[in-house]
Amino acid sequence: MKSVLVLCVALILSACASSATVDKLRTPVPETLVATATLPGYGKIRYWGDDGSSIAPEVFERRREQILKAAELDPTLLNQPTTMLTVSGGGSNGAFGAGLLVGWTATGSRPKFDLVTGISTGSLTAPFAFLGPPYDERLRDAFTTISGEDVMKRRGVLSILGGQSVASNDPLRRMVEGYVTDQMVNDIAREHAKGRRLLIGTTNIDADRPVIWDIGEIATSGMPDRRQLIANILVASAAIPGIFPPVRLTVTADGKTYDELHVDGGTSNQVFLLPANLTIKQLDPRFKNKRIRKLYIIRNAKTTPEYSQVKPVLASVAGKALASLTKTQGIGDLYRMYTQAQRDHMDFNLISIPENFTMKEPKPFDTAYMVALYRRGYELGHTNIPWQKVPPGLN
């Protein structure tokens, strides 16, 4: 709640800033070229999150070839269920999903997911979840050994008035770059070559559209700056507008160089799988044996109403309204994914922060709060995870 209030203040103060000053620092992609802009040296590493037709057919064919090649070494792969994991946003509540995954590992039943997606704080969890148990210790540390100082650095009032955000994301960037090592990039590339996929969502703030990044395709590109690009995407996905500055990426279109601004993927969706007009049958190659499809969703938030006394002042009222809006958006995303699951014959499984977890966070990214939430997630993961088979309100 405190972080939402800070966002309200940021939005109010941003109205005082001079847009003309900011414009001089940018060369944004013209609207007519937005759809054709690419990152120099990279191939098909991203597509629109709201339009499956933006994915080239060869993307599916390459995945099919990779899976068949992996099956030559292990034929049982073709008979195993297709498992998908999507991890939502939620700020410091990402500790819940981290604990759940590590606890799930302890049971020996955690799948090796064929597809992992992450957005906002979920983007920081997704690479660890994709790479599995060998990265559990680093996943735990990422959500239990940090504090607000490790994520953001507050700016002074004068800097806010003339700048892009309330806080600097330098601490977050240092933390992300510390976790995204050359070894991690190589490990992602190795698993990508087997047909597995790791996708991260950001929002192109100029285009007002979600963008899905194929992290494995970046990892296998051979480009010298691939590790930095992956780190930039993760930071961008977690860059709450107003709180953190957007991440600027250099792109080319029609032979000219421009820049894009990418912010928190949660601005577009709180959780995602694939564009709604893309069926999982297109992603999952057609084999002789029909594969069972299982979808697991970790919602790093509560889906039930949360009572709090609101003071009759702008920051308090607007803060609670934004918190309610975000929750409602997240629930709407769950219904959308449930509809996709029904259409594509996927087994739907949802877990969110339990209603009876009542500890309040005294300040953003409070260590004690995250440790407690991590432990609660671990307890659920270590026992029999109470997966919900339908979105909130339908059970």
Side-chain angles (χ1 to χ4, degrees), residues 286-302:
R286 295 179 180 178
F287 299 110
K288 293 181 180 180
N289 299 327
K290 185 176 181 180
R291 304 181 74 186
I292 297 173
R293 303 183 182 95
K294 292 180 176 290
L295 171 62
Y296 298 95
I297 303 172
I298 298 177
R299 178 69 179 112
N300 287 309
K302 292 182 179 180

Side-chain angles (χ1 to χ4, degrees), residues 86 88-89 93 95-97 100 271 296-306 327 330-331 334 348-357 373 376-378 380-381 385-393 395:
T86 179
S88 83
N93 285 340
F96 171 75
L100 185 92
V271 64
Y296 298 95
I297 303 172
I298 298 177
R299 178 69 179 112
N300 287 309
K302 292 182 179 180
T303 57
T304 52
E306 296 177 81
K327 176 179 289 186
I331 293 174
L334 296 177
F348 182 91
N349 299 275
L350 165 68
I351 188 71
S352 57
I353 296 177
E355 184 178 2
N356 59 9
F357 181 82
L373 193 52
R376 187 56 182 277
Y378 184 91
L380 287 177
I385 302 176
W387 296 108
Q388 295 175 245
K389 307 305 290 186
V390 295
N395 49 347

Side-chain angles (χ1 to χ4, degrees), residues 105-156:
T105 295
T107 67
S109 62
R110 175 176 157 188
K112 186 175 183 178
F113 300 105
D114 298 280
L115 171 66
V116 177
T117 76
I119 205 161
S120 196
T121 194
S123 71
L124 306 181
T125 301
F128 299 114
F130 179 75
L131 294 173
Y135 279 80
D136 277 0
E137 184 176 351
R138 275 166 278 192
L139 174 59
R140 181 199 63 204
D141 291 346
F143 284 96
T144 62
T145 64
I146 66 169
S147 64
E149 289 73 23
D150 297 306
V151 177
M152 67 179 75
K153 180 180 180 181
R154 299 291 179 86
R155 300 183 190 275

Side-chain angles (χ1 to χ4, degrees), residues 83-392:
T83 55
M84 294 154 281
L85 171 70
T86 179
V87 190
S88 83
S92 54
N93 285 340
F96 171 75
L100 185 92
L101 287 166
V102 176
W104 197 355
T105 295
T107 67
S109 62
R110 175 176 157 188
K112 186 175 183 178
F113 300 105
D114 298 280
L115 171 66
V116 177
T117 76
I119 205 161
S120 196
T121 194
S123 71
L124 306 181
T125 301
F128 299 114
F130 179 75
L131 294 173
Y135 279 80
D136 277 0
E137 184 176 351
R138 275 166 278 192
L139 174 59
R140 181 199 63 204
D141 291 346
F143 284 96
T144 62
T145 64
I146 66 169
S147 64
E149 289 73 23
D150 297 306
V151 177
M152 67 179 75
K153 180 180 180 181
R154 299 291 179 86
R155 300 183 190 275
V157 174
L158 294 179
S159 296
I160 294 174
L161 290 174
Q164 306 173 63
S165 61
V166 166
S168 164
N169 63 1
D170 287 345
L172 174 63
R173 179 175 291 280
R174 285 194 295 271
M175 183 179 74
V176 170
E177 290 178 348
Y179 285 116
V180 182
T181 61
D182 288 332
Q183 182 62 54
M184 172 180 273
V185 173
N186 292 337
D187 288 344
I188 291 173
R190 181 192 67 239
E191 295 305 314
H192 180 82
K194 298 175 183 178
R196 300 177 64 217
R197 293 295 182 264
L198 171 61
L199 308 177
I200 298 297
T202 65
T203 298
N204 181 323
I205 200 67
D206 289 319
D208 190 26
R209 297 182 70 179
V211 178
I212 297 178
W213 298 83
D214 188 335
I215 301 301
E217 197 66 25
I218 297 173
T220 58
S221 67
M223 293 293 291
D225 65 340
R226 60 190 182 279
R227 183 170 73 89
Q228 187 60 55
L229 177 58
I230 293 173
N232 285 342
I233 292 168
L234 298 182
V235 172
S237 185
I240 304 171
I243 302 294
F244 294 128
V247 171
R248 185 176 304 193
L249 299 177
T250 300
V251 298
T252 57
D254 195 27
K256 297 182 180 179
T257 300
Y258 300 99
D259 64 76
E260 294 177 346
L261 295 184
H262 286 257
V263 299
D264 190 350
T267 305
S268 303
N269 305 114
Q270 287 297 306
V271 64
F272 78 98
L273 181 63
L274 294 167
N277 64 340
L278 175 69
T279 67
I280 200 67
K281 294 178 182 179
Q282 292 172 266
L283 183 69
D284 193 16
R286 295 179 180 178
F287 299 110
K288 293 181 180 180
N289 299 327
K290 185 176 181 180
R291 304 181 74 186
I292 297 173
R293 303 183 182 95
K294 292 180 176 290
L295 171 62
Y296 298 95
I297 303 172
I298 298 177
R299 178 69 179 112
N300 287 309
K302 292 182 179 180
T303 57
T304 52
E306 296 177 81
Y307 176 84
S308 63
Q309 296 183 352
V310 179
K311 296 179 181 179
V313 295
L314 175 61
S316 183
V317 173
K320 184 59 181 283
L322 283 174
S324 297
L325 177 63
T326 300
K327 176 179 289 186
T328 302
Q329 177 197 9
I331 293 174
D333 289 335
L334 296 177
Y335 272 83
R336 170 176 48 79
M337 294 180 69
Y338 179 71
T339 301
Q340 289 179 272
Q342 294 292 99
R343 180 195 65 192
D344 297 337
H345 306 290
M346 291 186 285
D347 178 32
F348 182 91
N349 299 275
L350 165 68
I351 188 71
S352 57
I353 296 177
E355 184 178 2
N356 59 9
F357 181 82
T358 57
M359 182 176 179
K360 303 297 182 182
E361 188 174 25
K363 58 184 179 179
F365 297 95
D366 179 75
T367 305
Y369 173 84
M370 288 189 289
V371 168
L373 193 52
Y374 175 91
R375 287 175 178 168
R376 187 56 182 277
Y378 184 91
E379 291 168 0
L380 287 177
H382 190 255
T383 55
N384 186 19
I385 302 176
W387 296 108
Q388 295 175 245
K389 307 305 290 186
V390 295

